[in-house]
Amino acid sequence: MERPSRFWHRFDIRRIEDLGNAVLGAELEAIQLAGPPIRGSLAFAARDGIVFSSGLIHGRVAIRGPLSRDAVTVGLGLRLGAGSRHWLNEVVDGDVGIFLPGDEHDAIYTHGSLYVAATLTPAQLEEEAAREGLVLDPRMLARTGLHARPIPSAKLAWIRPRFVRIHDADAQGEKDHRELTFALLHMVVAHYARIPANGDGRIHPRGRGRIVHRAREYIRENLAAPISIDELAAVAETSRRTLYRAFSDILDDTPQSFARRMRLHGIRSELVSGAGGTVSAVARSWGAGADLGRLSARYQELFGESPRATLTLHRELRAHAMI
């Protein structure tokens, strides 16, 4: 994707891989959760070397990975769907966070979520603060995490509808982003000028989030093999009943269904890369080759296209890129 200019550039989200660019330049893995295929749009702009990214997500998706290897990312949830989470802890409208270079972003966004992020160097962030006559609190850049308090709703009321217009394909939107980007950075810097002493960053999952985190990591590491509920309950240090309840509350899913979904994403990743050969060969490598008909039906339901369609499309895209 080409670097944005001083104007906002909007792109439709057509497939799950598009969310690898949920923040421009990030290294993100996007996982389609229970529900219809993801849709929505992404928008990008740049000013004075600062890159701005915004997304409007329709559906339920988990996004994970570093937002930048060499810059700081400031993110703001303008409107977060019910059940949206960072590090498996629930987040609300106005939650704002700092992500240091190389640190992992781990989020779940639900239907209707709208966010904006700015990627910049610490020096640029200090310049933005000085422009407004503010001095950065040293704790702002001390660690990755969320601010202990969301930005007040009265302040969000001005900026949120402007980003809604940016994502409206039929609206003129904000042609020149300069006023909007100045306002966004001022809002975030001013908010961080008053960091509560007891803010913990909210980066460690708590309660049922901790259970899901342990089980989710085990599933990721053992996707190609059968995984039993007893194994997951033991890894998560909980009972089968509490394991089911935790997955239902946080992912709106069962552990078995989540594991199947993750396996389908692994299959899709190989089909997209072209490294695994035929659909049947890829399915066998993931331990899912016994019933290709059922696999295809589940794949179609999750991604809105058949495994063969994914393989064919990305073969064509790779061939076109080589011309």
Side-chain angles (χ1 to χ4, degrees):
M1 190 173 292
E2 62 185 59
R3 200 168 184 83
S5 70
R6 65 191 290 264
F7 299 107
W8 287 97
H9 291 270
R10 177 191 175 280
F11 303 88
D12 286 329
I13 298 171
R14 299 186 183 279
R15 53 187 62 89
I16 192 67
E17 289 77 23
D18 293 340
L19 283 171
N21 274 309
V23 170
L24 195 64
E27 302 172 19
L28 297 173
E29 173 195 36
I31 301 297
Q32 167 78 54
L33 298 179
I38 289 293
R39 293 293 182 265
S41 59
L42 300 173
F44 307 103
R47 171 176 68 76
D48 304 330
I50 303 172
V51 176
F52 297 87
S53 307
S54 181
L56 174 62
I57 297 174
H58 296 300
R60 301 181 74 251
V61 63
I63 300 176
R64 187 175 185 179
L67 297 181
S68 175
R69 289 293 180 185
D70 55 9
V72 173
T73 301
V74 181
L76 171 62
L78 296 167
R79 183 180 66 213
L80 297 175
S84 292
R85 294 175 179 269
H86 277 203
W87 301 286
L88 299 180
N89 297 316
E90 196 158 4
V91 288
V92 298
D93 294 359
D95 264 335
V96 58
I98 297 289
F99 303 85
L100 300 186
D103 284 356
E104 186 170 89
H105 174 69
D106 184 0
I108 294 172
Y109 293 113
T110 61
H111 187 77
S113 291
L114 174 67
Y115 67 85
V116 60
T119 304
L120 68 173
T121 66
Q124 288 171 322
L125 197 55
E126 290 175 356
E127 290 173 10
E128 293 295 328
R131 193 193 307 272
E132 301 295 335
L134 298 169
V135 177
L136 289 183
D137 187 310
R139 290 173 293 173
M140 182 177 185
L141 296 175
R143 61 178 173 174
T144 290
L146 298 180
H147 195 289
R149 299 173 185 163
I151 286 177
S153 57
K155 292 186 176 181
L156 289 179
W158 180 86
I159 200 168
R160 182 193 291 127
R162 286 164 168 79
F163 277 97
V164 170
R165 286 199 295 274
I166 286 171
H167 287 278
D168 186 346
D170 298 322
Q172 187 174 4
E174 301 282 336
K175 282 188 175 181
D176 190 331
H177 71 275
R178 290 184 65 84
E179 178 188 7
L180 194 54
T181 57
F182 277 125
L184 170 67
L185 288 174
H186 169 71
M187 182 182 296
V188 171
V189 170
H191 194 61
Y192 269 94
R194 297 179 292 276
I195 300 179
N198 62 350
D200 66 357
R202 289 186 286 164
I203 64 172
H204 301 294
R206 299 184 292 268
R208 289 178 179 168
R210 187 178 295 114
I211 293 171
V212 171
H213 173 74
R214 290 169 177 163
R216 185 183 64 173
E217 297 312 297
Y218 185 83
I219 289 170
R220 285 177 178 275
E221 294 168 4
N222 296 277
L223 269 179
I227 301 173
S228 73
I229 292 298
D230 288 335
E231 283 179 79
L232 290 180
V235 166
E237 300 178 8
T238 190
S239 67
R240 292 167 57 105
R241 181 177 180 181
T242 302
L243 178 71
Y244 273 100
R245 187 174 299 165
F247 267 77
S248 177
D249 287 351
I250 292 177
L251 299 176
D252 194 25
D253 213 344
T254 66
Q256 300 101 317
S257 180
F258 179 77
R260 284 196 299 267
R261 197 180 316 283
M262 292 294 295
R263 193 169 289 119
L264 288 172
H265 272 277
I267 291 169
R268 182 178 178 86
S269 181
E270 285 202 31
L271 294 176
V272 168
S273 70
T278 65
V279 171
S280 59
V282 172
R284 284 196 301 273
S285 72
W286 285 89
D291 189 342
L292 286 178
R294 180 178 297 178
L295 168 70
S296 182
R298 286 174 172 167
Y299 189 101
Q300 175 91 35
E301 181 182 8
L302 183 60
F303 299 116
E305 63 187 27
S306 69
R308 189 171 301 279
T310 299
L311 183 62
T312 301
L313 171 64
H314 287 275
R315 277 178 178 169
E316 293 173 353
L317 291 175
R318 288 192 299 274
H320 180 73
M322 296 173 62
I323 295 175

